[in-house]
Amino acid sequence: MLPEASIKKKPFALDPRTKLLLVFMEAVFVLATAGGEHLFFMRIALTALPFLLLLTARRYKTCAIGLAVLGVCTVLEYLVFPQVSGVLAAFLLIIITIVTRFFPAYMMGVYVIKTTTVSEFKAAMERMHVPDELTIPLCVMFRFFPTVHEEAVSINAAMRMRGIQFGGGKALSMLEYRLVPMISCSAKIGEELSAAALTRGLGKSRKRTNICRIGFGVFDWCVIAFALAIIVYWAWGFVQ
Amino acid sequence: MRYSVCACYYCLLGLGVCAVIEFSHVSFAYAANPGQQSLCDVSLTVHDGECVLLTGSSGCGKSTFLRLLNGLIPEFYPGERTGTVTIDNTLLTSASVYEMVGKIGTVFQNPRSQFFTVDTTSELAFGCENLALPEKEILNRIHSTVQRFDIEYLVDRDIFKLSGGEKQKIACASVDVLQPGIILLDEPSANLDYKAADDLRKLIQAWKSAGKTILIAEHRINYVWDLCDRVVILQDGAVAEDLNAQQKEALTNRQLNEWHLRSRARVSPQELVAVRLTDLRENSETESIELRGFSYQYTKDRKLFALDDMHIQTNAVTALVGNNGAGKTTFLECLCGIRKCPGILRYKDKEYRAKERRGLVFMVMQDPNHQLFTESVLDEVLISQPEQDKEAARGILEKLDLLPFAERHPMSLSGGQKQRVAIACAVASECPILLFDEPTSGLDYDSMRKVSAIMKQLKDTGHTIITVTHDTEFIETCCDYALSFGGPAYDR
């Protein structure tokens, strides 16, 4: 495959800026429930949106798992909740509220992380004139967390083999046992990573090229129009 | 400018080739360790288009030499330098690492930690983007590198899902797109198996034919031995021997060993597989461990390995060799029960399922950093013992030359020492079956001999050892059996 082909935008791929807008929308209207009852149907649409986007990104498994969790919660809310009372009801209410409010925003986050490359993200931040001081640490995060995750998996396996497990009142030292190798491994990797990046000129010139093509397409405008519609509808509620 | 034209004119007339790198009485001590001279009084000239192998035992100053060239010294590793270093007729003063970008490219040892992005195409573009080259130029360069290195299949992949060998190919390619005239490789094969080292060799060959000046710092010299025009042996920071092509050819393995160097002979570990599994089964009067029904698959349609029946001699050292991606490490993880697997292990007339194997099987991982948790070496051994016993713990440390470090923090030790701490834990756990994953990767000759001696010692104390390795010398030194693992390699 030619590199040219690989940097072209895929159909239905959103611009990172549109994605950021959507995360913002989820946070304001679903998580913080701005607008209250007035926006009930909009909220349902926003809840469905991350799942639709996951479908366009061919993340069928993630989408199915998410839908299953949301489905179970809906069943709990409408079928089980009216039947119970007391402590159990309170407990159920907490779970239902947390999942239905947090989950759409979380799924949108999953969609954004899984479909955005470091270069796309960096290009978008540059277009928005976000300073490098903020962008570069965020870019490193993209790389760093999966690396730390890999380390954590190996460390966990080693602990299991050596029969060191949580319990027996040693929870604190267990946490330490886990953190110490993780910190030292991460620090070492961080150092080697910086050395490698320096020899390839990271930070050499103030202006950097970015071969990644971002930009708003038809699909972006549709999504942005949808977001604007919600905001206008919300504002309309205040006027009335 | 005029000066360099003159210099090249001189070259044509006189020497025939230009000197690209010139070290003149260079000494260096790291700021972190000012008492020790990492390089002392090194004078060396490398000519245009030469392929130089820098070798010597651990800590001889190979890496320091390369870091002085690529500018990581003093930018990243500060220290005290005397003498002069000249590259392309420019005197290196306190030149920043950035001046070297595009002139010198460096491939590092650890494939896990030299990538900045998460997908291969961005990674290839990364260096050029930093130099603010125009987009079209970057794409052309990537295209040309990808074609020359024959790595179309690696374009646009998730770097986290690549094998070690594939990662190292991307590392080389991302250096190549910057089109440097000088290429430095700092132990590039330390984490690679036999086949991947072969692939790396091909890339170095391609650079050599393109006329690049290449410096390779390596312990494992066999895969590049016939490729290099010159071998420089460093000892305690000084040039001990500088051999040209003819002198190099005359060098025997014995002489190399006297220099504490690894063998120059390139022998595939597969060639050492003398005992086939069937032979071992027929010979089963002697006691053996029986492994039944070990299989593993990532996804439904991708089976990694499936072993119906396998016998491993007890009280012996067995080497498992096999191709890249045959699942050797995963197999070890299944054996010691940290990965779910249906297999059953039969040892001394008792059958053990995955969960029951804790306390029976102990694995020393390739990166010992992952399995050391506590604040001191002694604590590390103590938590491994079924019943904590300080005297016994000290005894174990003594046998492994670790007693002087008993109170040290494991993370402050060297790589080899960390590995020995992990072995001490294995002994302390009283597990009769010990697994080792590539115990000699990246080790010099002396350290390899030391690990071999420990293996023999463990065997004498009644342990059964299974080790995954690609290190032919190591197999020859201490392994009793070599079994071929995985796929078509079974019926060699």
Side-chain angles (χ1 to χ4, degrees), chain B residues 2 183 226 228 289 357 423 428 472:
Chain B
R2 207 176 138 169
I183 287 162
D226 57 329
C228 56
I289 297 170
R357 290 200 284 270
I423 296 174
T472 321

Side-chain angles (χ1 to χ4, degrees), chain A residues 82-120:
Chain A
Q83 313 291 326
V84 295
S85 58
V87 184
L88 195 61
F91 179 70
L92 264 182
L93 188 65
I94 293 173
I95 295 209
I96 291 166
T97 317
I98 289 181
V99 173
T100 48
R101 280 207 189 175
F102 278 78
F103 209 62
Y106 171 75
M107 290 310 281
M108 186 59 84
V110 169
Y111 165 73
V112 172
I113 294 288
K114 293 218 170 183
T115 57
T116 313
T117 66
V118 183
S119 311
E120 277 169 4

